[in-house]
Amino acid sequence: MSSSSTAQHFTRSATIRAMLLVLVGSLGMQFSAVIAVGLFPAFGVLGTSALRMVIAAVILLVIFRPRLHGRSRREWLGIILYGVAMAAMNAFLYLAFARLPLGIATTIDFLGPCMVALLASRRAREGALAMVALLGVALIAGFGGALDPLGLLFAALAGTAFGLYTLLAAQVGQSDGGLPSVALSVTVAAILTLPFSVPVMPLVRPEHLLALLTSAVLGTALAFTVDTIAGKLTSARVLGVLFAFDPVVGTILGALFLNQLLTPIAVLGIVLVVGAGAGIVWLSGGHGPAAKEPASPA
């Protein structure tokens, strides 16, 4: 990778673009979750998640037509691990959705990327912003009442996979493979979840197709693609903070579409999370190689 492309990671404009991409991915992921909850009675939780993965894999393979030859062992390892993280994150998160409010599940899920941001922080202010985001999601999590212990476990496991996903989104995004590698990773995830998708395929009816396709496109194909593009523009530690959009969007959509209560405490949490995201964007400018480049002559 050239020094100029590396420098791009330190610019504020690149971080803003990454933030907008992550927001698009979060909206797609959470809207798809709202849709997918309605499919649980027909296909089960894991069946619904796995069917979405198969559909998304087919779509991405057709769009990007990734090559199989000429990839290094390291590149294939990243692709496979990214696919494993995708499969685990989706499966456990959907199991959590079946037992917890959307905002609660995505809040606990966010702890994975938040820990990535915290552990990878290079300066005290960045670590402080990660802690602010963590406090915000803790406040968001406070509105759900009695919580299902198994649901909490599933959400925690999803968060562990989300932390790995955060690291790999940056690695795969900055690799030479780019978006075709994402298509292969989603295919890996679809293969891993075939034991759950194949048994329910005969249950698919015409009335299910629109919801399945919409959920697969928004929550898998689109979300994974834009997250990887964001990983090309910034680092894993910045992505870890930007992924705080997930609990914010999940909480709002849960309140709007699933009648899940949004209290003033949750609103305060949302403000803290958004503030942390704005702070990390601001701190991404004014230092690093890009900041030292002289302006072009007029």
Side-chain angles (χ1 to χ4, degrees):
M1 186 181 296
S2 66
S3 60
S4 60
S5 63
T6 301
Q8 181 189 36
H9 299 169
F10 293 87
T11 65
R12 187 172 295 140
S13 62
T15 306
I16 291 173
R17 292 197 299 274
M19 179 183 68
L20 294 176
L21 287 166
V22 169
L23 177 58
V24 169
S26 293
L27 287 168
M29 180 74 75
Q30 302 307 325
F31 267 117
S32 76
V34 171
I35 295 170
V37 166
L39 296 170
F40 288 174
F43 308 116
V45 178
L46 292 178
T48 301
S49 176
L51 281 173
R52 294 167 63 253
M53 199 70 71
V54 170
I55 295 170
V58 171
I59 292 171
L60 292 177
L61 287 174
V62 170
I63 293 174
F64 295 115
R65 299 184 180 184
R67 58 180 172 82
L68 299 178
H69 302 290
R71 296 179 183 273
S72 67
R73 182 178 299 179
R74 177 182 176 84
E75 189 174 359
W76 273 114
L77 179 61
I79 288 170
I80 292 171
L81 288 177
Y82 201 21
V84 170
M86 290 173 179
M89 180 177 68
N90 271 262
F92 285 124
L93 189 57
Y94 270 55
L95 287 168
F97 286 159
R99 295 173 173 271
L100 299 173
L102 196 65
I104 295 284
T106 51
T107 293
I108 298 169
D109 183 43
F110 170 68
L111 297 181
C114 193
M115 286 303 298
V116 170
L118 182 59
L119 296 176
S121 297
R122 296 179 181 176
R123 298 182 297 170
R125 285 179 294 178
E126 291 174 344
L129 286 171
M131 293 302 295
V132 169
L134 187 59
L135 174 60
V137 295
L139 292 177
I140 293 171
F143 74 91
L147 300 178
D148 182 280
L150 193 55
L152 294 174
L153 175 62
F154 287 144
L157 291 172
T160 301
F162 199 3
L164 178 61
Y165 173 88
T166 303
L167 292 170
L168 291 166
Q171 177 182 323
V172 173
Q174 294 164 21
S175 70
D176 294 332
L179 296 181
S181 294
V182 178
L184 291 175
S185 293
V186 176
T187 302
V188 169
I191 292 171
L192 290 173
T193 54
L194 281 177
F196 305 108
S197 61
V198 170
V200 298
M201 285 180 183
L203 303 178
V204 177
R205 300 288 181 264
E207 59 268 24
H208 300 139
L209 293 178
L210 180 60
L212 276 172
L213 181 61
T214 303
S215 182
V217 169
L218 292 178
T220 306
L222 174 66
F224 291 161
T225 298
V226 296
D227 285 351
T228 308
I229 297 173
K232 186 177 181 66
L233 295 171
T234 190
S235 66
R237 77 181 191 279
V238 174
L239 276 182
V241 174
L242 296 182
F243 279 138
F245 281 126
D246 277 357
V248 174
V249 174
T251 300
I252 294 172
L253 294 186
L256 291 176
F257 297 105
L258 300 177
N259 297 318
Q260 295 167 354
L261 181 63
L262 184 64
T263 67
I265 294 296
V267 172
L268 176 59
I270 289 172
V271 171
L272 290 178
V273 169
V274 173
I280 203 73
V281 169
W282 177 257
L283 289 179
S284 66
H287 67 284
K292 298 176 183 177
E293 291 178 357
S296 300

